[in-house]
Amino acid sequence: MRACQPISDGYVERDGVKVHYEVFGAGEPTVLLLPTWSIIHSRHWKMQVPYLARHCRVVTFDGRGNGRSDRPSEPAAYREEEFAADALAVMDATGTERAVLVSLSRGAERSLLLAASHPERVDRMVFIAPALPLPPVMPRSRAAQEFDARRGEYVDWGKWNRHYWLRQYEDFLEFFFSQSLTEPHSTKQREDAVGWGLETDAETLVATQLAPRLTAEQGVRELLSRIDCPVLVIHGRDDAIRPWESAARLAELANGALTVLDGSGHFPHARDPVKVNLLLREFVTPAAPPRRWVRGKSRRRRVLYISSPIGLGHAQRDVAIADELRKLRPDLEIDWLAQHPVTRVLEARGERIHPASAYLANESGHIETESAEHDLHCFQAIRRMDEILLANFMVFHDVVRDEQYDLWIGDEAWELDYYLHENPEQKQASYVWLTDFVGWLPMPDGGEREAFLTADYNAEMIEHIARFPRVRDRAIFVGDDEDIVPDAFGPELPLIRDWTRDHYAFAGYVTGFDPAAFADRETLRHELGYRDDEQVCIVTVGGSGVGGHLLRRVIEAFPQAKRQVPALRMVVVTGPRIDPASLPQADGLEVRTYVHQLYRHLAACDLAVVQGGLSTCMELTANRRPFLYFPLAHHFEQNFHVAHRLDRHRAGRRMDYASTDSTAIADAITAEISRTVDYRPVATDGATRAANLIAELL
């Protein structure tokens, strides 16, 4: 799922070759993100488009040879003049009179050609890792391995030839993008690039290389002599494809500005997108100076709270913590940067939602697109959410750039935690990180590859904390140390429990309510409309749309369960993202979209049937109610972290969706609905403990 959808798209056709373009955002100026080498298409700009489109108009197009554009077979069709002419045709088709040209690598020459031929159509130019014949130039004709002293490894540039491409195309892609993305922990960016490379073929790539190009500095000088506009050049010092000194030469010849990114490789816009985005924004459309400023001592205490939308449980515990914070600091102002379905809970409580929340890309929607029948590969889904997370971090960045807050709180706000550690200079306030699990864990059927990837993600997080301990002023684990799984982060990495003890404070679980308030279940049941002569089963799957299949299977089991338990009353709560009309109906069955203060109904019920989400399961545990829980297949958190915690509390009956039919569900309902439970107690002061830990920073 993309973070930003185009407002229009289409094709231009020149000499029988069709080129696909997309337009995002509105207003001035227009930024034209040019295609690079046809080994990849315009999606390589995915980290730039959402941010820029909030501030100006953005046009992209797939260069001929990849994406949704045609793939002519003749080398002449890939001359740089053809790409420049395509760019001009796209500008005409989109009504773009003038644009800021932004190019990557091989896109530099076509950018120069367009600006030199039509200077009246170009406002400014940005070159990222420009591939131009400027000294020093790295030859690509070597047939032997070469030792790269910077990385301490041999590089096999013998793969840089058309014969190898035609024989071993995918292996060449793996090699080339390993050299384009030399930064550690770049597995996702490399996977993206290889995937885009596989959308074309070796024959097309060979044709692009046979097309004539500039071969000497003099050609670059001649083009620059016809260009008179501001120029910015961005280059990674550790670029293994093009030396940064070549970019410095371009900046010198163009009388432009040069920004060298130490430690960055050939694709800094993919690997260091925050920095590149900010450089682009400042160059293209600088932010206006603030209209208002408040002296430090005149400011009220303000908190910006970022609550993850993946699960309504975050909202429940976060508002409980916020309430306790206000008791400790009555003058505290709290703004929420949040999205549906969290905003539904916040609005019901009268909380103040920051207007910039409207710009957040849809995380819950992405999770739903990743799900199958009661199956959600949580780790991979979050990996594939990288563009959405970056877009949402940039929203956060703009908010805190323009407004003063004393404290930021992120409850499993992955984008905030990751990109603050990647860009520690962006930290301007105290920061608290909250989570109820630590450590990505591989699913058994993921094999060696998934085991490697989860360990790599864990290693990067550990390195972040070790290098920049100042970023998190406080890390709070929502639970106790015994709730942490006994696993290791990966081979040669520490045990998760040991590391977490060293780096987290423990608040205990945060239910958001006191179970003692529901000790009189009879009175509570009457308040909620449940009769003494019925046995109530609540079926709920949380705030996402992933649980629809489980609801259908439980509904299918209802008639048989009703025959076995004549007093059974089943209430199905769909949540805000499942249409009740999409579910089957049954006599005596109630289907509700939303139940305010659902935890009260769970405290009153005789049995619950739920997914394996932590919040609902722990609410039931705290209220000592029997329940059946069905962890989502491939959801590592539900299958490992949540299951471990429930086992520790001796809570719930775990069920396997894949091997459980409606008859088995009816039998389980019959067996569990009258069972007396013997759960370990759940702490009731978690919100208070968390608030006390946070308030110290205020």
Side-chain angles (χ1 to χ4, degrees):
M1 184 173 176
R2 298 172 72 169
C4 181
Q5 299 296 328
I7 61 173
S8 65
D9 68 333
Y11 289 89
V12 295
E13 185 172 344
R14 296 181 46 259
D15 298 329
V17 178
K18 293 172 65 177
V19 169
H20 183 262
Y21 66 81
E22 293 181 323
V23 181
F24 305 83
E28 294 295 336
T30 293
V31 175
L32 177 59
L33 298 173
L34 291 163
T36 184
W37 187 19
S38 299
I39 197 170
I40 53 178
H41 49 67
S42 60
R43 283 285 286 150
H44 77 87
W45 294 116
K46 70 176 186 176
M47 296 300 209
Q48 284 65 58
V49 168
Y51 179 61
L52 294 176
R54 284 198 293 110
H55 299 290
C56 56
R57 183 169 176 262
V58 179
V59 177
T60 68
F61 69 96
D62 293 334
R64 48 179 64 202
N66 206 327
R68 283 177 279 182
S69 295
D70 286 348
R71 292 149 177 73
S73 59
E74 293 300 318
Y78 296 100
R79 296 170 63 247
E80 292 299 314
E81 290 81 1
E82 298 294 345
F83 286 96
D86 288 344
L88 188 63
V90 167
M91 291 179 69
D92 291 340
T94 57
T96 304
E97 291 298 321
R98 293 175 63 84
V100 178
L101 306 184
V102 181
S103 63
L104 169 72
S105 188
R106 189 158 169 174
E109 184 174 337
R110 56 202 62 160
S111 181
L112 289 173
L113 286 165
L114 177 57
S117 301
H118 299 277
E120 75 284 357
R121 306 290 295 270
V122 178
D123 274 331
R124 293 167 178 257
M125 302 178 73
V126 181
F127 298 88
I128 302 174
L132 293 168
L134 297 172
V137 176
M138 289 182 177
R140 294 287 176 257
S141 59
R142 296 170 293 221
Q145 290 187 343
E146 177 183 275
F147 186 73
D148 188 328
R150 291 174 300 178
R151 288 178 287 153
E153 63 184 31
Y154 283 93
V155 179
D156 188 5
W157 282 107
K159 296 180 179 181
W160 184 270
N161 66 82
R162 61 180 180 177
H163 305 292
Y164 192 85
W165 303 355
L166 293 169
R167 293 196 314 270
Q168 301 286 339
Y169 180 58
E170 186 169 355
D171 185 70
F172 168 71
L173 294 177
E174 296 278 0
F175 162 74
F176 179 74
F177 292 119
S178 73
Q179 301 307 300
S180 301
L181 291 149
T182 53
E183 301 87 344
H185 310 296
S186 297
T187 57
K188 180 58 170 62
Q189 293 81 6
R190 292 180 186 177
E191 285 180 16
D192 281 347
V194 170
W196 298 327
L198 290 172
E199 293 187 41
T200 188
D201 52 49
E203 289 77 10
T204 298
L205 214 59
V206 170
T208 66
Q209 287 299 94
L210 295 176
R213 298 175 61 193
L214 287 176
T215 58
E217 180 177 316
Q218 183 55 39
V220 178
R221 285 175 173 271
E222 195 280 325
L223 291 173
L224 285 171
S225 69
R226 292 184 270 149
I227 298 171
D228 184 20
C229 68
V231 169
L232 171 64
V233 182
I234 303 170
H235 208 104
R237 191 180 295 272
D238 289 352
D239 189 331
I241 304 296
R242 291 279 169 169
W244 73 271
E245 294 91 344
S246 177
R249 180 61 173 159
L250 173 62
E252 178 185 359
L253 294 174
N255 293 317
L258 171 68
T259 298
V260 177
L261 307 178
D262 284 0
S264 296
H266 194 59
F267 283 4
H269 67 306
R271 196 59 183 84
D272 295 301
V274 171
K275 184 60 179 178
V276 171
N277 285 355
L278 296 179
L279 288 170
L280 292 175
R281 167 80 191 282
E282 185 61 28
F283 185 72
V284 172
T285 172
R291 297 181 179 178
R292 180 172 173 263
W293 179 80
V294 181
R295 293 188 71 243
K297 289 187 177 181
S298 299
R299 298 173 190 168
R300 296 189 64 180
R301 288 189 177 91
R302 300 185 70 207
V303 169
L304 183 63
Y305 212 130
I306 301 91
S307 182
S308 171
I310 305 175
L312 282 173
H314 298 106
Q316 184 73 22
R317 73 185 181 208
D318 291 336
V319 293
I321 293 171
D323 286 344
E324 295 299 319
L325 272 174
R326 292 186 180 106
K327 292 178 184 177
L328 297 170
R329 298 285 187 270
D331 64 336
L332 191 66
E333 291 183 352
I334 299 178
D335 287 346
W336 297 82
L337 194 61
Q339 55 185 284
H340 185 78
V342 170
T343 48
R344 187 166 187 172
V345 175
L346 299 177
E347 288 164 352
R349 292 178 54 91
E351 295 285 347
R352 188 166 66 184
I353 301 169
H354 196 286
S357 298
Y359 298 125
L360 294 171
N362 191 333
E363 296 180 27
S364 295
H366 166 82
I367 293 297
E368 289 172 24
T369 66
E370 292 278 340
S371 65
E373 183 175 347
H374 203 72
D375 190 343
L376 173 62
H377 204 308
C378 182
F379 170 66
Q380 294 293 356
I382 291 179
R383 284 187 84 225
R384 287 190 284 264
M385 198 163 66
D386 56 344
E387 129 184 40
I388 290 174
L389 294 176
L390 186 278
N392 290 344
F393 177 81
M394 299 309 299
V395 172
F396 163 83
H397 171 273
D398 284 0
V399 168
V400 300
R401 179 200 59 198
D402 297 335
E403 302 180 45
Q404 291 79 42
Y405 290 95
D406 297 276
L407 176 67
W408 307 331
I409 304 174
D411 185 351
E412 293 190 11
W414 304 106
E415 71 282 14
L416 178 58
D417 197 65
Y418 179 79
Y419 285 110
L420 281 179
H421 282 93
E422 287 282 280
N423 303 270
E425 71 279 1
Q426 297 299 325
K427 187 190 175 196
Q428 305 167 22
S430 296
Y431 166 52
V432 172
W433 164 253
L434 286 161
T435 187
D436 54 42
F437 80 92
V438 178
W440 307 98
L441 295 174
M443 297 304 297
D445 61 1
E448 293 182 2
R449 178 61 179 171
E450 186 167 322
F452 165 76
L453 289 175
T454 53
D456 184 69
Y457 269 56
N458 289 332
E460 184 175 30
M461 180 271 296
I462 291 170
E463 291 167 14
H464 275 157
I465 304 304
R467 177 63 184 86
F468 298 110
R470 67 181 184 275
V471 170
R472 292 179 181 175
D473 293 282
R474 181 139 291 159
I476 299 175
F477 185 81
V478 183
D480 301 309
D481 62 353
E482 291 178 307
D483 293 321
I484 305 167
V485 294
D487 307 74
F489 284 110
E492 301 182 12
L493 294 175
L495 292 174
I496 296 175
R497 183 174 294 172
D498 292 346
W499 186 90
T500 305
R501 284 170 175 162
D502 290 340
H503 293 88
Y504 278 78
F506 294 88
Y509 192 72
V510 179
T511 59
F513 58 84
D514 184 357
F518 310 131
D520 186 352
R521 289 187 61 243
E522 183 177 351
T523 299
L524 177 63
R525 286 170 67 94
H526 290 165
E527 288 179 7
L528 299 176
Y530 300 128
R531 301 192 311 271
D532 294 335
D533 62 348
E534 60 188 8
Q535 290 181 284
V536 179
C537 177
I538 303 289
V539 185
T540 181
V541 291
S544 76
V546 178
H549 291 93
L550 176 60
L551 292 184
R552 290 180 180 86
R553 188 164 294 182
V554 176
I555 290 172
E556 184 183 349
F558 173 69
Q560 182 176 342
K562 178 72 171 174
R563 288 193 296 271
Q564 296 171 189
V565 184
L568 180 65
R569 176 181 177 183
M570 183 175 284
V571 180
V572 174
V573 184
T574 66
R577 300 187 69 87
I578 298 175
D579 181 3
S582 68
L583 299 175
Q585 306 297 312
D587 291 339
L589 179 76
E590 302 170 45
V591 179
R592 305 182 187 178
T593 303
Y594 174 74
V595 173
H596 185 56
Q597 294 183 329
L598 178 61
Y599 62 89
R600 300 180 74 233
H601 293 257
L602 293 174
C605 75
D606 297 285
L607 177 72
V609 181
V610 298
Q611 283 182 171
L614 179 65
S615 300
T616 306
C617 289
M618 288 302 292
E619 288 173 9
L620 290 161
T621 303
N623 284 312
R624 308 183 69 76
R625 307 314 307 142
F627 62 97
L628 311 176
Y629 72 99
F630 292 77
L632 288 164
H634 295 105
H635 194 305
F636 78 92
E637 183 187 357
Q638 293 187 6
N639 282 277
F640 300 131
H641 293 278
V642 177
H644 169 79
R645 192 180 298 221
L646 294 178
D647 288 346
R648 186 175 85 83
H649 283 274
R650 302 188 296 272
R653 175 174 169 179
R654 180 170 178 168
M655 306 283 286
D656 176 49
Y657 176 87
S659 61
T660 306
D661 59 14
S662 59
T663 298
I665 292 176
D667 291 343
I669 290 173
T670 303
E672 296 292 321
I673 199 164
S674 299
R675 188 168 74 86
T676 300
V677 303
D678 182 27
Y679 300 160
R680 290 185 62 174
V682 177
T684 60
D685 60 347
T688 301
R689 290 166 61 187
N692 282 321
L693 290 167
I694 295 169
E696 293 174 3
L697 301 174
L698 289 166

